[in-house]
Every structure is written in structure tokens, then in C-alpha cells.
Amino acid sequence: MAADLDVLNLFIIAGGTLAIPILAFVASFIFWPSALIKVYYWYWRRTLGLQVRYADCGGYRFCYSCRGKPGMRPSILMLHGFSAHKDTWLTVVKYLPRHLHIVCVDMPGHEGTTRTSTEDYSIQGQVRRIHQFVKSIGINRKPFHLVGTSMGGTVAGVYAACHPAEICSITLICPFGTTHPCETKFDNHLQDLEQSNFTLNIPLIPTTPDEMEDMFRLCSHVRFKIPQQILQGLVDVQQPHITFFQEVFMEIFGEKSRYALQEHLHLITAPLQVIWGKQDQVVDVSGAAVIAEALSGCRVDLLDNCGHSVVMERPCRTAKLILDFIIAQQNASGGAKKSS
């Protein structure tokens, strides 16, 4: 009888032990979804072997995650898009070899990187800050591969134009900053915003779960089924930064920055790859042809059934395209050296 009670107590204790984390998860999902999102990113960084680090540069602090050490392949620096953060790249890093040296940085003012004034948020301002970061961690000791998506793609392109000796090759993923013959849904929103003197809500800065869902529909061709609690969590995470995002938006779509990439294309000398979703409703895919026309030898990879959020919609394909491009450029460079 005593033995039976011991077994019963053991089951009760085991059940209670299991119930606590389950209840904690359920409570977080319902009441604190923003905390659950942060735990999710922490878990994936840990799983993928990424370490979060900081680089201090004369009172300015950059937050970044990294994996691996410089080796035979060039280091890869990844620049995220507007209102995002370094963890945007987790889905792509998952499919990249572990021996590669990868650095994902929070763009100026975003997430863990210092927030200062609007002069740092224009495209040229962000290029200056990223160059400061590059020098501080020494990733430019030898030429590296630069990757950027959306706003980060524009910054990456202008960076390559301004600092050609530091770049061995570059990948731009649906960057804005050029003219594109065909208008998109976002272009129409932008025209409405300008006519209203920017009093209307900016579709890329959602303030409610419904607006967050609308933003996903605008940015993604793939329809993700996101629970309402997670949408609310994403809004809660962004809420303290709304004013900052509005300032950045006004800078990057202002007169100085709107066509910054196009103005610098002729200065890019590194081998260039462009990846674009054919169903992009934010920056039309016709922009790829504009870049390819300006830069002979540019490699263009267009993805079917994919929108603006290429990194989220086609992470495996994106990783493979980037890696294949890097290897092809290294092989071409090695062959050229042997022939000379």
C-alpha cells in the first residue's frame, strides 16, 4: 500500500513538474506574447550558434550577432530592412554552413544599436555608421561579402559604391532606392501619404494587430496564418519605437535618400547579385532590370510566388543563391589569378 502511494505521489510530482512550464507557456502566449517572441529569437540564436555581442565606437554602441571565424570563404555582413532587427536573418543563417563567418548587425537606431539623431537615419548616414561598425570589429581586414534586404539593400549598395576596396561581392535583396517602371500597392500608399502631408497611417508602421496583419499581406506573397496573440505581441514589441520608425521612414523616403542607390550604381565595382520576389508589392521587381542595365555582369535571381519579404518567404533558396554566388566569385577570382 505504501509503495502504491509512493508511485502515486511520483506521478503527481512528475505531472506538476510538466504542468508548470506548459502553464507558463500558455500564460505567456495569452498575456505576454511579446515576451514569448523575445524568447523565440533567443532560442533560435542559441540553436544556430549565434552569439550576441556589442561594439563600442566613441560613445556609439552597435549590437550584433555572429557565428564562426574568418576563413577561406569571405566573411558575410548582413544588413536588415526598415523597422526590423538582426534576428531577421535567422531563417537564412539556418541554411548557411556553420564554418562561415557571419555577422548580423542591428542597423543604426534599431533594436540594440544606439539611437541618436535623424542625421544617422538617412541612407548616407547609415552608410557612415555601418562603416564605423565594420572598422570597429575588423571585418574589413580582407574584402567581405555584403548582403542587404530592402532598406538594408539600399545601404549595402551605397556602401559598396563608397568603399569599394572593402567589398569582394555584394547581394541586394529587393532594395529600394531606384526608379522602377511599374508601380506597386505601396507606391500608391506613398502617394496618398504625401498628399495627406503624412497624416495618414504609414502601412509599414502598424499600431494594431489588424494593421500588422495588413503589413504582412503587403510584404508577403505567401499567406502566413499568424495567431491574434502573436500579432498583438509584435505590435507590443514595436509600440515603444513608433516615433523612431516614423523619423527613419521620413528620412529614407525623403529627397536625399529616395533614389540614393540609383545615384551610386555607377560607382559599384564589386560583383553584384540581385534577388527579388516576382510578386513584390512594396518595391516592384522591375527595379532588378534597372540595376542590371546599369551594371553589366550583374546576376539577377527572380523568385516565383514570392513577395518583398524574401528572407522570410524563401530562406532556404535565398541562402543557396547567396552561397552559390560567393563560391562562383571566388572560383572566378582564383582562375583569374592562375591565368595571370
Side-chain angles (χ1 to χ4, degrees):
M1 185 69 178
D4 291 341
L5 286 173
D6 287 342
V7 171
L8 180 61
N9 288 334
L10 185 63
F11 275 113
I12 291 171
I13 292 168
T17 303
L18 289 171
I20 290 170
I22 292 170
L23 288 172
F25 175 83
V26 172
S28 297
F29 182 75
I30 295 172
F31 299 110
W32 305 290
S34 59
L36 194 62
I37 290 166
K38 291 177 181 178
V39 170
Y40 169 82
Y41 286 131
W42 170 85
Y43 169 78
W44 273 109
R45 283 196 304 268
R46 186 177 177 86
T47 300
L48 297 174
L50 286 159
Q51 295 181 326
V52 174
R53 293 180 179 171
Y54 296 89
D56 291 304
C57 313
Y60 193 92
R61 171 173 281 197
F62 293 94
C63 180
Y64 65 102
S65 59
C66 60
R67 186 178 78 184
K69 295 180 179 179
M72 295 292 291
R73 302 287 184 206
S75 298
I76 302 174
L77 175 60
M78 311 183 94
L79 309 181
H80 65 73
F82 170 73
S83 79
H85 43 74
K86 59 188 174 296
D87 294 327
T88 297
W89 295 105
L90 291 175
T91 52
V92 173
V93 171
K94 176 183 177 182
Y95 296 103
L96 290 172
R98 288 207 172 228
H99 67 270
L100 290 179
H101 180 222
I102 297 169
V103 177
C104 308
V105 64
D106 284 327
M107 297 295 281
H110 289 70
E111 193 78 6
T113 292
T114 299
R115 190 168 293 175
T116 52
S117 59
T118 53
E119 66 183 25
D120 281 335
Y121 307 147
S122 68
I123 296 302
Q124 284 285 14
Q126 293 193 59
V127 168
R128 285 192 294 270
R129 284 298 187 186
I130 293 301
H131 188 231
Q132 187 180 20
F133 170 71
V134 162
K135 290 189 295 183
S136 71
I137 67 168
I139 196 175
N140 60 342
R141 290 192 184 100
K142 67 176 188 177
F144 60 91
H145 182 78
L146 185 57
V147 184
T149 183
S150 194
M151 177 190 78
T154 309
V155 174
V158 176
Y159 188 102
C162 295
H163 306 285
E166 297 183 357
I167 307 298
C168 64
S169 49
I170 179 172
T171 298
L172 306 182
I173 304 173
C174 46
F176 71 81
T178 66
T179 57
H180 41 270
C182 304
E183 287 192 344
T184 64
K185 189 174 179 181
F186 177 72
D187 289 325
N188 296 330
H189 282 302
L190 197 56
Q191 289 168 13
D192 292 341
L193 280 167
E194 289 169 336
Q195 288 171 7
S196 73
N197 199 24
F198 291 91
T199 56
L200 296 174
N201 287 342
I202 299 171
L204 298 181
I205 310 177
T207 58
T208 67
D210 287 343
E211 288 180 3
M212 181 65 73
E213 194 168 27
D214 288 342
M215 187 191 75
F216 277 115
R217 288 199 190 100
L218 175 67
C219 294
S220 304
H221 178 72
V222 176
R223 292 291 174 252
F224 296 99
K225 292 183 179 179
I226 305 174
Q228 193 72 9
Q229 288 89 342
I230 297 300
L231 291 171
Q232 182 62 59
L234 292 168
V235 170
D236 292 343
V237 168
Q238 285 208 324
Q239 197 64 47
H241 313 294
I242 295 296
T243 301
F244 163 70
F245 291 147
Q246 290 169 340
E247 290 176 355
V248 176
F249 185 89
M250 297 296 287
E251 281 296 316
I252 62 177
F253 286 102
E255 188 177 341
K256 286 194 302 182
S257 295
R258 185 173 293 192
Y259 300 111
L261 180 57
Q262 183 135 1
E263 291 163 3
H264 287 81
L265 282 176
H266 68 286
L267 297 174
I268 297 176
T269 56
L272 174 64
Q273 173 188 41
V274 174
I275 302 175
W276 219 302
K278 288 185 179 180
Q279 284 72 37
D280 193 333
Q281 296 185 82
V282 178
V283 187
D284 193 75
V285 66
S286 57
V290 172
I291 296 172
E293 187 176 337
L295 294 168
S296 60
C298 170
R299 170 173 165 174
V300 176
D301 294 295
L302 304 182
L303 306 184
D304 292 316
N305 301 314
C306 184
H308 189 67
S309 300
V310 171
V311 171
M312 185 169 64
E313 296 179 74
R314 294 286 185 274
C316 182
R317 180 67 176 150
T318 302
K320 185 177 186 309
L321 288 171
I322 292 172
L323 187 59
D324 288 349
F325 182 67
I326 291 173
I327 293 171
Q329 297 312 311
Q330 273 203 302
N331 291 342
S333 175
K337 287 178 182 178
K338 284 180 182 179
S339 62
S340 63

